[in-house]
Amino acid sequence: MAKGFYISKTLGILGILLGVAALFTIIVLSVVYAQEKNRNAENSATDPPASTTSPATTVDQTKPWNQYRLPKSLVPDSYQVTLRPYFSPNEHGLYIFQGSSTVRFTCQEATNVIIIHSKKLNYTTQQPTGHRVVLRGVGSSQPPAIDRTELVERTEYLVVHLQDYLSVGSQYEMDSEFQGELADDLAGFYRSEYRENGVLKVVATTQMQATDARKSFPCFDEPAMKATFNITLIYPNNRKALSNMLPKGPSVPLPEDPTWMVTEFNTTPKMSTYLLAYIISEFDNLESQSPDNVMIRIWARPSAIAQGHGDYALSITGPILSFFGKHYDTPYPLEKSDQIGLPDFNAGAMENWGLVTYRENSLLFDPQSSSIGNKERVVTVVAHELAHQWFGNLVTVNWWNDLWLNEGFASYVEYLGADYAEPTWNLKDLIVINDMYHVMAVDALASSHPLSSPAGEINTPAQISEVFDTISYSKGASVLRMLSSFLTEDLFKKGLASYLHAFEYQNTIYQDLWDHLQEAVAEQSAVELPASVSTIMDRWILQMGFPLITVDTRTGDLSQEHFLLDPKANVTRPSDFNYLWIVPISSIRNGTQQSDYWLNGTQKIQNQLFRATEANEWILLNINVTGYYQVNYDEDNWKKIQAQLELDPLVIPVINRAQVIHDAFDLASAQKVSVTLALDSTRFLIRETEYMPWEAALSSLSYFKLMFDRSEVYGPMKSYLRKQVQPLFSYFRNLTSNWAVRPPTLMEQYNEVNAISTACSNGLEECKELVTNLFRQWMENPQYNPIHPNLRSTVYCNAIAEGSEVEWDFAWEQFLNATLVNEADKLRSALACSNQVWILNRYLSYTLNSTLIRRQDATSTIISVANNVVGQPLVWDFVRSNWKKLFEDFGGGSFSFSNLIQGVTQRFSSEHELQQLEEFKENNKDVGFGSGTRALEQALEKTRANINWVKENKEAVLQWFTTNSQ
């Protein structure tokens, strides 16, 4: 999950800088910036009267500046950008930056208007023209005179109206000087803050993806508008400047003020605006060389570097970068790869070419305080971002409707890169739990959407932000993994390398990848497909959802249908393929693998592969869950599989043991099997010690918890889980010598956490004593934390839940004093585990105060409180009361609104809650829901499904748990 950008291009430094400095001094003194800061159409005092389109007026959609997509008349060739951020507020209390830009572009279609993106920038009037820009021809080109300029807020354009037409084939250059706010809004060129030894430090940094490069300088801000960039940064001499490229040479003092330095960076390759990055900070770094002699640097706060928190990232970045170079059969195209951890960052990370930005918790790792989960996050996020350096940066999707190809691909191969760096962890298996099963819960809704949409459906910044969802990332990853599996990884890599070589420094649509994979298939004979790659894959990306494959082992019948969690849901989105897929089917019979089979787009077939010929035979489909589908069986086969699991589970691969549980629960939700059959699939867990089956069960049962933890069902449910987890808890107690050492493998370490968390939350007294004693020891000696980092999240949460205000206040104090972001994150999440209503209400109020809870953490903190059954109604009241403020503070394009709406509404299962949700939608329609619009519709659908499910299953579930908890 990533976002960010970079900018570049230089002008003759000294002449520009002297002029810019003088002009900006005038601007700062003359503009009442504080009164104007929320307008996009701000003007300096020397500007002519502004012509600004108001969003309130009727919009003439025939005018190109009222359309969200840029016209094709002009294409950029290069930019020269100079930026000077100020690291203390001006007289109006604002942090600002000053800049100048020269963009060179070519006219492809005759036009008398220049339309370029610009957002929240104040322009300096240019002399002698009196306009915001100066236009000149390149070579023999003669520029027409400027008639007027205007800023259009709605579409975020600077529009230059000309008195005559630009000539087709001619090049022009346009100069501008501007001022913007270096705000703390996590977008464009923004301000991040932290404290070091009690002193406030300010970082000027960037996040351009998807539509915020325009907030830093005027640009053609669409991914297909690739150009080269020359960046020059002016900054105080006690700081360091970074950008996508290395500096051209040594930094030099600013002539008129030698306390400021000037750094000019090398010209970038041809690239998209959203990948630009420039950062000015007081950070320190670690440095090494990759196996391919690429400079690798890890940047972070000086204290973090000094304490070794960047060492792990440094050790893996070079090897992963080298791995992808070989995987893509394409050398890394830049001289260096910087990774930088930022205190304030909206996404997890952003793949800016050559300067990747991260949340600190996704880059920094402290062996003394960070858990194995933190370590896994670092290696997978670094792998994700480095995968983008080729797939996304070197070759870029033409428009955001194909974002799934960019993010889905990186979300798949991150597991390959991470597996290369940590080969003993079996990380590749985790894609099933972390991505596939996570996204299936959304993709099985009637309100889901296809991976790829027509380009015309995605236009506004809010619509673009909405595309950055779990479908694009996790479904994209899942179907590409399936494609790689049925092609074979070698064939997949061959087609991929061909694609990258053909389109380097260009833009593509998804069909281009299919074409190159098809060429690879055509050049060999070992892999035979039932249809072309395009014909197979279009059914997976152009229609939403996924198939349910149903097997009747009595007859050998195999059929498919569009799987919906709510059987009463009405699918209104049409499909050209009638919701039928071309499905690769793998299977095992009594533990022995059978031949692969293709269900070739038909609804039903019959084949002896799927018929049990003997009374004790069972058949299981989708080996290692490489196919993006779920499986149902006749009841007799279900019982045979469950009997095999209770007799000897090792006959069934570990991922498929998780699959049996996951699919059974989803099928029960869809009323395809009884809820008791699904619950029966968990009985073997009393003898299971592997992570993936336990994780699948706990994940599936978490829905039962959400539906029933406010009802009489919850008591017997806790009793059953307590009985099932007791042997696992004892297993890990013995394996770890009474919790003194950690288990040897990653999966075992994860399942140790599951054992403690499940045992404590379901009332196992031995577990409650363990966590309260550990927490008490810490409280008695705060300088020494006896709790192993792996166990801290679950120990903190359960100790705070068992404790009082004393435990909460201690944890809050530790949170405020935490120097490592991973530790702060564990405490911040655990503070939401309190059972005291007044404490949770106080905690919620803290999320509106960015000095207590960082803006980037506010929504996840609110969701953590909502996950607590005591906190859920408080959060719902809080969100309804504060929606307008939350929306204004975070902006409609914020990626967090989807998660917020999903998190707050996940327990909704009554008519009263449905009514409240509908009222919330109606009452806030004028404010809007931004990137959460689709999530709100999904929440309404999910709530209706929950109401029906509880009505139909409550009694049977209560009876089953009561019987099986004995």
Side-chain angles (χ1 to χ4, degrees), residues 764-777:
L764 190 67
E765 284 301 324
E766 185 183 350
C767 184
K768 290 198 285 187
E769 289 172 12
L770 171 69
V771 299
T772 53
N773 286 338
L774 283 170
F775 200 79
R776 189 180 305 114
Q777 290 173 36

Side-chain angles (χ1 to χ4, degrees), residues 12 36 41 48 254 326 456 467 472 625 706 737 762 801 836 894:
E36 300 287 304
L254 185 67
K326 294 181 177 67
V467 177
S472 292
V625 196
L706 290 171
S737 302
N762 290 288
Q836 304 292 316
S894 168

Side-chain angles (χ1 to χ4, degrees), residues 114 120 177 326 330 398 593 685 700 778 847 872 894 931:
I114 299 169
K120 296 185 179 179
E177 295 170 356
K326 294 181 177 67
T330 305
N398 195 62
Q593 185 167 346
L685 292 174
S700 297
W778 188 27
T847 63
Q872 191 273 327
S894 168
S931 59

